[in-house]
Amino acid sequence: MKLFRGRWILLSIALYSSLAFVYSELDGSFHYDKQVYGVTRQNSTMERTWAGSLATYFTSNFAFEINYTHSQNVTTEHENIPVSGTTAVVDSTQNRVINIVYGAGIRWLMTSRQSRIRPHISMGYATQEVESATDYTFRDTDSGTTYPTLTTPVEKQRIKSVFGAFALQVGITQYFAIKGSIQTVFEAFKTEKARDNLKYMVGLTWIF
């Protein structure tokens, strides 16, 4: 009986190993966006995002995925807003928001690994850590003096969230692929906000 049990354990380990570690994918992606607006194009919004993920397939089409995303959004405005009761104006404001996302979930490969074009969908749990602060620069309209910049205290939020992504890999070699993706992250149980935070990203995948 002990011999049979030992063989069963060895067989189970061998079977699990063959399924649990079929192969892995390490992804890196980047997104950049800048918008300029205002009558004299004096205002701007810049967003920069980079992301990475590791997916280990436990079958030929399903994988456990962990991911990390770092986004920075900077909005700068020059509007000369009067300060009531003084000769000063708010010469410029700059708002900075950093959003860090940690996620873990499931990836579904929608075709064969051997296909040159490979779409996949990812979904799972995520945590967002958001930090924001604003700089205000004041100027006296009579003397032209610019006062020292006033910075608001940093506001921090931690939000339980859900992430989702659709990606398309195009194989360039056996071990590397170009990847384009649409990603979103939103507060848990608020699916109506999924379309409010879409990011279009491009990057590379290493298959090993």
Side-chain angles (χ1 to χ4, degrees):
M1 179 64 71
K2 289 184 178 180
L3 180 60
F4 175 78
R5 184 179 299 172
R7 288 179 177 176
W8 173 251
I9 291 173
L10 290 174
L11 179 62
S12 298
I13 292 173
L15 180 60
Y16 175 78
S17 297
S18 66
L19 291 176
F21 304 105
V22 176
Y23 66 98
S24 297
E25 294 178 342
L26 183 64
D27 303 315
S29 300
F30 184 75
H31 164 88
Y32 178 82
D33 180 64
K34 183 175 182 179
Q35 298 181 18
V36 177
Y37 59 97
V39 176
T40 59
R41 298 173 56 83
Q42 75 277 17
N43 306 321
S44 66
T45 296
M46 182 277 294
E47 182 179 19
R48 183 185 292 113
T49 302
W50 61 270
S53 66
L54 174 65
T56 298
Y57 283 80
F58 56 90
T59 73
S60 58
N61 292 90
F62 288 91
F64 291 117
E65 176 182 324
I66 57 174
N67 54 60
Y68 174 89
T69 303
H70 183 283
S71 298
Q72 182 180 27
N73 187 292
V74 179
T75 300
T76 304
E77 295 186 335
H78 300 272
E79 295 291 358
N80 292 327
I81 303 172
V83 178
S84 180
T86 71
T87 59
V89 295
V90 180
D91 187 55
S92 66
T93 62
Q94 184 179 87
N95 178 251
R96 301 179 304 281
V97 180
I98 295 175
N99 187 3
I100 297 174
V101 180
Y102 306 89
I106 296 294
R107 177 180 294 187
W108 171 38
L109 178 63
M110 303 169 67
T111 186
S112 168
R113 176 190 176 187
Q114 283 70 40
S115 300
R116 186 166 183 268
I117 299 177
R118 301 183 293 272
H120 66 73
I121 294 173
S122 299
M123 183 172 290
Y125 172 81
T127 297
Q128 296 186 73
E129 295 182 352
V130 184
E131 295 185 3
S132 62
T134 303
D135 293 338
Y136 294 92
T137 301
F138 297 88
R139 177 174 54 83
D140 190 287
T141 55
D142 288 345
S143 64
T145 302
T146 299
Y147 300 104
T149 299
L150 173 67
T151 301
T152 63
V154 176
E155 296 183 7
K156 297 183 178 181
Q157 289 181 285
R158 189 180 180 91
I159 307 170
K160 294 181 179 179
S161 305
V162 173
F163 77 88
F166 173 79
L168 194 66
Q169 295 176 355
V170 179
I172 51 179
T173 71
Q174 182 180 356
Y175 299 105
F176 289 94
I178 297 173
K179 177 182 177 180
S181 63
I182 304 173
Q183 303 181 12
T184 186
V185 60
F186 54 93
E187 189 174 350
F189 308 111
K190 295 187 177 181
T191 55
E192 70 278 3
K193 294 187 176 182
R195 62 182 180 180
D196 296 340
N197 192 28
L198 294 176
K199 286 186 173 61
Y200 300 85
M201 307 188 70
V202 64
L204 292 173
T205 298
W206 175 37
I207 304 164
F208 60 98

